[in-house]
Amino acid sequence: MEEKNSISYWLKTANDDLRPRQALKESITTDIAILGAGFTGLWTAYYLLEKEPSLNIVILEKNYVGFGASGRNGGWCSPKFSVSPATCIKRYGTETARQIQMAMFDSVTEVERVIDKEEIDADWKLGGSLQVALGAHNISTLEKAMKTYQKLDLENHFQLLDQSQTDKRLKIHGAAGSLLTKISAVLNPGKLVRHLARTLEQKGVLIYENTEVVKIVEGNENKPPGLVAHKGAVTAKHAIVLAGEAYMSQMRDYQRNLIPMYSLITLTEPLTKKQWNSIGWEGRETVGSTRLSVDYLQRTADGRILFGGRGQPYRYASKISNSLDLHDKTHNELRERFIKWFPSLQGIRFTDDWGGPVGITRDWTPNFLYNKKAKVASAWGYAGQGVSTANLAGRVLSDLILDKNSIATELPMFQHTSRKWEPEPFRWMGVRFVQSGLSRIDKKAELNGRAPSGKTIVERLSRN
């Protein structure tokens, strides 16, 4: 039997009853059937009901609400898109790249609107986000990013901060400056996902947990679509929604549509007042760096520091297992990096470790799809930016299902199908090569005091 997953601190502190809801044990009919009770499925249901309150909606969840990335992430609601603005300009042109960024800003403010409207306590704060240059050699990366935003006529949403300005917000050892994203928020995602589900139940949505979908039935002119579970099934009069994100890779027909990449987190005990005074961070900005291997931090509402990053190796055949939620080597490296950032906090106790997979498509672009003939909607491939992107996906899918003008018909993720990942063993070989290569490049840059060139094979392969 598979061991239990590492329940995130977010879910432990969600102020919600975590006892499982009932499982589906019969065949039923509804208007909309949704696979997955994470942010994509819940937001899609929310906006469907906002536009058509009379709809009957059923959600089937293999485990429990917020089991996946929605309940395990770093607690950023960021306007970052999975494809960088510079790459978006090269792929789609300046105007489309600008539209993508504006759509992501709108997603952050839209999540805030719903939190306020539904009176959800999610420890939300619109405090901005800092990308920190650790060492003067990384300042050029921030300056290049700012030039890109100027090219998009979006420079008013960002601000370059020098070392002194950065230190006034947060004292990080070796920080030479930072780039402030003004519209970005921090939150407890466990509270949001759990209480968004409760809000939907109050509106009449039925959520079944411990209900694994084993078959997806596409519709046609003569039959409706549906979802088949082990002990029951749901037939949908209007449409089904596939909202399993990284976990869709575990279903045979979707194995190469995206790959699951693990992201891991460690969390400290609450800091003392003296400790907070030594580093600052009164604004609760989310914090990352220019490292290729990714860092992400937040100050929690109860005074802890979360430090997350990549590092857990990709597993052959896109394996997902609860046993992979914890990886001693990676979690130890996260704690070591934490102390390098905050040497004054040497000796602090780490109370919680967890992790989980995020979904990545072959071109790093999310796929928002609706097959009108088969009546199947789907969205996946957020590459770690799911808190905001899933909200956008929910609004887009609800528009497509209800045949309304979509907010995203001009965006490249609309009706976009990424090319499939390579079959194994080539997928494993390629992903492992890039993972190990990025780690080596980061370490070399730290030792040499020179920013990555961007010209290596690994950097070109991973560019997004």
Side-chain angles (χ1 to χ4, degrees):
M1 179 178 291
E2 192 173 319
E3 61 187 273
K4 293 182 179 179
N5 74 302
S6 57
I7 297 177
S8 72
Y9 181 76
W10 302 135
L11 292 178
K12 294 177 185 176
T13 59
N15 298 327
D16 189 36
D17 185 354
L18 297 182
R19 288 177 297 181
R21 295 167 171 84
Q22 65 175 331
L24 181 67
K25 296 180 180 179
E26 60 181 335
S27 294
I28 60 176
T29 299
T30 189
D31 294 324
I32 306 288
I34 298 175
L35 179 160
F39 282 135
T40 301
L42 299 178
W43 281 127
T44 303
Y46 183 86
Y47 291 111
L48 284 167
L49 288 175
E50 191 171 69
K51 295 158 188 171
E52 294 288 346
S54 64
L55 286 172
N56 292 314
I57 300 176
V58 170
I59 301 176
L60 304 185
E61 166 57 45
K62 179 181 177 180
N63 293 284
Y64 50 79
V65 169
F67 172 85
S70 299
R72 309 189 197 191
N73 62 76
W76 292 32
C77 188
S78 164
K80 288 182 66 177
F81 187 60
S82 57
V83 181
S84 71
T87 300
C88 282
I89 291 173
K90 291 178 181 178
R91 288 185 185 178
Y92 314 120
T94 301
E95 182 54 35
T96 298
R98 189 179 192 281
Q99 290 176 1
I100 292 171
Q101 187 60 74
M102 292 304 299
M104 295 306 296
F105 284 134
D106 289 344
S107 291
V108 176
T109 55
E110 173 62 14
V111 173
E112 184 174 61
R113 180 191 74 83
V114 176
I115 285 175
D116 290 342
K117 177 184 176 183
E118 303 297 346
E119 298 180 340
I120 296 174
D121 176 10
D123 298 335
W124 175 275
K125 182 176 176 60
L126 196 67
S129 184
L130 295 173
Q131 184 182 22
V132 178
L134 298 175
H137 59 284
N138 285 314
I139 290 292
S140 60
T141 301
L142 304 183
E143 292 173 340
K144 288 178 183 177
M146 191 63 177
K147 288 180 181 178
T148 300
Y149 293 127
Q150 290 169 343
K151 188 173 184 179
L152 296 174
D153 196 24
L154 293 172
E155 63 268 28
N156 290 338
H157 293 277
F158 303 88
Q159 183 182 354
L160 277 173
L161 305 179
D162 61 23
Q163 182 176 347
S164 176
Q165 291 170 312
T166 302
D167 285 348
K168 286 180 181 179
R169 289 176 177 265
L170 173 61
K171 295 180 179 66
I172 298 171
H173 178 69
S178 60
L179 178 62
L180 171 67
T181 302
K182 298 176 182 179
I183 301 176
S184 190
V186 64
L187 75 156
N188 178 332
K191 287 185 176 181
L192 178 57
V193 71
R194 296 294 300 190
H195 293 285
L196 183 58
R198 297 295 181 191
T199 298
L200 289 172
E201 288 176 316
Q202 293 170 6
K203 297 177 185 293
V205 174
L206 296 178
I207 300 176
Y208 294 93
E209 296 182 328
N210 292 324
T211 302
E212 179 181 4
V213 172
V214 295
K215 184 178 180 182
I216 296 166
V217 179
E218 295 187 353
N220 56 39
E221 294 179 355
N222 301 313
K223 71 174 183 179
L227 301 174
V228 179
H230 285 294
K231 297 182 179 180
V234 182
T235 299
K237 297 176 184 176
H238 294 326
I240 61 174
V241 180
L242 308 182
E245 230 298 88
Y247 296 87
M248 293 302 298
S249 65
Q250 307 303 287
M251 302 191 77
R252 186 180 63 182
D253 293 341
Y254 301 89
Q255 283 179 346
R256 291 172 56 200
N257 289 65
L258 70 169
I259 59 170
M261 294 295 294
Y262 272 79
S263 195
L264 304 186
I265 288 170
T266 192
L267 184 74
T268 72
E269 63 186 340
L271 274 65
T272 65
K273 184 176 181 180
K274 181 179 179 181
Q275 288 172 321
W276 280 121
N277 288 339
S278 72
I279 64 173
W281 210 350
E282 295 180 1
R284 283 190 69 205
E285 301 93 340
T286 58
V287 180
S289 76
T290 59
R291 291 179 78 252
L292 299 175
S293 300
V294 184
D295 296 309
Y296 53 93
L297 294 76
Q298 76 142 286
R299 174 178 177 167
T300 67
D302 62 349
R304 302 166 184 264
I305 296 179
L306 174 151
F307 199 110
R310 304 285 164 81
Q312 163 75 287
Y314 168 78
R315 302 295 175 165
Y316 190 85
S318 296
K319 180 182 179 181
I320 293 177
S321 168
N322 291 340
S323 64
L324 301 179
D325 294 349
L326 299 174
H327 188 246
D328 288 344
K329 181 177 182 292
T330 302
H331 278 115
N332 287 334
E333 288 175 351
L334 292 175
R335 288 187 280 270
E336 290 171 3
R337 204 148 66 242
F338 175 96
I339 298 304
K340 288 182 180 179
W341 282 51
F342 305 111
S344 66
L345 301 181
Q346 179 76 44
I348 197 167
R349 189 169 61 93
F350 294 88
T351 62
D352 291 78
D353 292 330
W354 70 90
V358 298
I360 299 177
T361 63
R362 186 62 178 79
D363 59 2
W364 288 76
T365 301
N367 295 184
F368 298 170
L369 303 166
Y370 183 54
N371 184 326
K372 194 170 183 179
K373 183 177 180 180
K375 299 181 180 179
V376 178
S378 57
W380 52 60
Y382 310 143
Q385 307 300 332
V387 178
S388 51
T389 312
N391 175 271
L392 177 60
R395 286 180 284 145
V396 171
L397 295 188
S398 64
D399 282 340
L400 295 176
I401 291 169
L402 297 175
D403 201 20
K404 296 181 181 293
N405 291 329
S406 175
I407 58 175
T409 53
E410 302 301 318
L411 299 181
M413 52 277 205
F414 174 77
Q415 296 292 43
H416 172 71
T417 301
S418 302
R419 77 178 175 92
K420 292 182 183 290
W421 281 92
E422 288 73 10
E424 297 291 17
F426 305 107
R427 183 163 76 245
W428 179 86
M429 294 167 61
V431 175
R432 281 291 189 96
F433 171 74
V434 170
Q435 280 186 303
S436 60
L438 292 176
S439 179
R440 287 195 303 272
I441 291 170
D442 280 332
K443 290 177 181 177
K444 182 179 179 180
E446 291 170 11
L447 288 172
N448 296 340
R450 291 196 296 269
S453 67
K455 298 178 181 179
T456 65
I457 294 176
V458 168
E459 289 171 276
R460 293 202 301 269
L461 286 173
S462 64
R463 187 166 293 142
N464 62 296

